[in-house]
Amino acid sequence: MSKPVQITISKLAKTSGIWGKNDLIPKKLFKEIKLGTDDLGIITTERENLDASTMGTTIDLATRCFILKYKDAFRQARKGADILNLLDAKERASYPAELTLDTDYEIPLYGDALFEGANSLQYKSLSKVTKGDYDIIATMAYLEACYRSLNTLQYPIKDLNSVDFKHMKIFMKRCKNFFQHFGNPSIIDYEIGSETLYGDGDYLSPNYLVDFKLYSRSPIQYPRNRRQILMYYLLGKEQHRYPEFQTVKKLIFFNPRNDMAYVVSIEDIPTDLIERTRKIMDM
């Protein structure tokens, strides 16, 4: 018998043809909370040089490094680096110039020195973080993206501009304020899986599960997000790897661009929706 094929929770959440129009947490169940870190309002993407995906991952990694002091913040980036370091000269030559600077291909492009420098950043206070430090974090974000998909290599690493740096400082203050409001997580970068599904989420505590979404719009406007966060909770609770899933009371999205948290109480999620979601997860 062949082994079942695993897919990611995020892929299942956006797969068409299997979800009914009501197979997601209703928007009206989410309480929208303004955290009031500052009075700057929505921070748009205008004049940012980083693409939206890299910016989002950079903020995730910077939060883990500078705010939560998480020693394994760059473990997925290390996996991406290992993949790139195994590419031979011919393979590297087909990718952007940033990957072909070394003439001696026996020397790893992304070696221990880079990661030692990145890991040392967790000892910096948030107020002392420089643009150069965020450049390193953005490189880590790029490497993590390479681990998740080698298609990332078709695009060059972009440099941070002054607008990126300005916005990152605002986002970091907002992320710090989020945790001051809701409490620090006990689990960072959790991983869950079954025979057919797997995924990794952002933050977990005995009280909440939260996904950070750096969007120009509200994250609950996207149906895939509302499906995805419920599947994270259901699979995590079923798996019993993390005790926190048994006590979680709230599912949360936090968007640093608008400094808003979107909170739904698990007790308010319809039981029939939970059952329908479980059936789709088991397909």
Side-chain angles (χ1 to χ4, degrees):
M1 182 179 293
S2 61
K3 187 177 179 180
V5 177
Q6 277 190 321
I7 67 169
T8 64
I9 287 176
S10 60
K11 183 176 182 179
L12 181 60
K14 58 187 177 185
T15 299
S16 60
I18 62 173
W19 298 96
K21 66 177 183 178
N22 296 321
D23 291 341
L24 72 175
I25 303 173
K27 285 190 289 186
K28 65 182 181 181
L29 295 184
F30 285 87
K31 181 179 180 181
E32 300 185 8
I33 301 174
K34 295 180 180 180
L35 295 185
T37 308
D38 52 57
D39 58 1
L40 299 174
I42 297 175
I43 306 300
T44 70
T45 60
E46 185 177 0
R47 295 172 54 212
E48 289 181 356
N49 197 42
L50 288 188
D51 63 272
S53 178
T54 303
M55 177 65 89
T57 304
T58 300
I59 295 307
D60 277 342
L61 295 181
T63 298
R64 296 169 193 187
C65 179
F66 298 133
I67 297 174
L68 299 174
K69 309 298 182 184
Y70 181 48
K71 64 181 180 64
D72 290 326
F74 308 120
R75 64 187 183 88
Q76 306 286 28
R78 169 64 86 172
K79 294 176 183 178
D82 290 343
I83 291 171
L84 297 192
N85 291 335
L86 288 174
L87 295 177
D88 62 25
K90 183 177 179 180
E91 289 174 307
R92 289 182 186 176
S94 67
Y95 294 124
E98 286 84 348
L99 298 179
T100 59
L101 296 178
D102 290 337
T103 55
D104 182 356
Y105 288 102
E106 297 302 315
I107 301 174
L109 281 172
Y110 300 101
D112 290 339
L114 173 65
F115 283 89
E116 287 170 3
N119 288 328
S120 70
L121 295 178
Q122 66 180 283
Y123 300 106
K124 277 199 165 187
S125 64
L126 195 56
S127 61
K128 299 292 179 64
V129 177
T130 67
K131 180 178 177 295
D133 296 332
Y134 281 117
D135 276 321
I136 294 174
I137 302 293
T139 299
M140 295 293 108
Y142 181 82
L143 293 174
E144 179 167 320
C146 289
Y147 163 67
R148 297 181 185 279
S149 174
L150 277 177
N151 290 334
T152 303
L153 293 174
Q154 303 300 329
Y155 306 95
I157 302 173
K158 293 184 177 180
D159 293 326
L160 273 66
N161 63 21
S162 59
V163 175
D164 293 321
F165 180 47
K166 177 182 177 182
H167 289 181
M168 285 176 173
K169 290 190 289 184
I170 295 169
F171 296 151
M172 282 295 95
K173 289 178 181 178
R174 291 178 172 185
C175 291
K176 183 177 181 180
N177 186 48
F178 171 87
F179 289 118
Q180 289 174 339
H181 186 93
F182 288 96
N184 281 351
S186 51
I187 302 293
I188 301 168
D189 193 19
Y190 62 85
E191 295 181 330
I192 50 178
S194 66
E195 283 192 342
T196 57
L197 276 179
Y198 68 96
D200 51 23
D202 292 339
Y203 308 107
L204 183 64
S205 87
N207 297 314
Y208 67 73
L209 179 160
V210 61
D211 252 14
F212 279 26
K213 300 289 188 183
L214 194 71
Y215 289 169
S216 297
R217 300 173 60 197
S218 161
I220 65 173
Q221 295 296 324
Y222 300 89
R224 65 180 182 269
N225 288 339
R226 289 181 277 149
R227 297 183 190 122
Q228 181 176 318
I229 200 168
L230 180 56
M231 286 193 285
Y232 280 150
Y233 167 69
L234 294 176
L235 185 56
K237 187 171 184 180
E238 181 180 299
Q239 189 183 32
H240 290 279
R241 179 179 179 181
Y242 304 103
E244 287 84 352
F245 276 107
Q246 308 308 316
T247 61
V248 162
K249 298 178 177 63
K250 300 180 185 299
L251 306 181
I252 305 173
F253 293 112
F254 174 60
N255 185 0
R257 282 203 183 277
N258 64 4
D259 203 23
M260 294 277 293
Y262 304 82
V263 184
V264 60
S265 295
I266 289 171
E267 64 181 9
D268 291 336
I269 300 174
T271 55
D272 61 328
L273 168 60
I274 289 175
E275 291 309 311
R276 291 198 307 273
T277 303
R278 281 200 176 110
K279 287 180 181 179
I280 292 172
M281 292 167 65
D282 292 337
M283 288 173 59

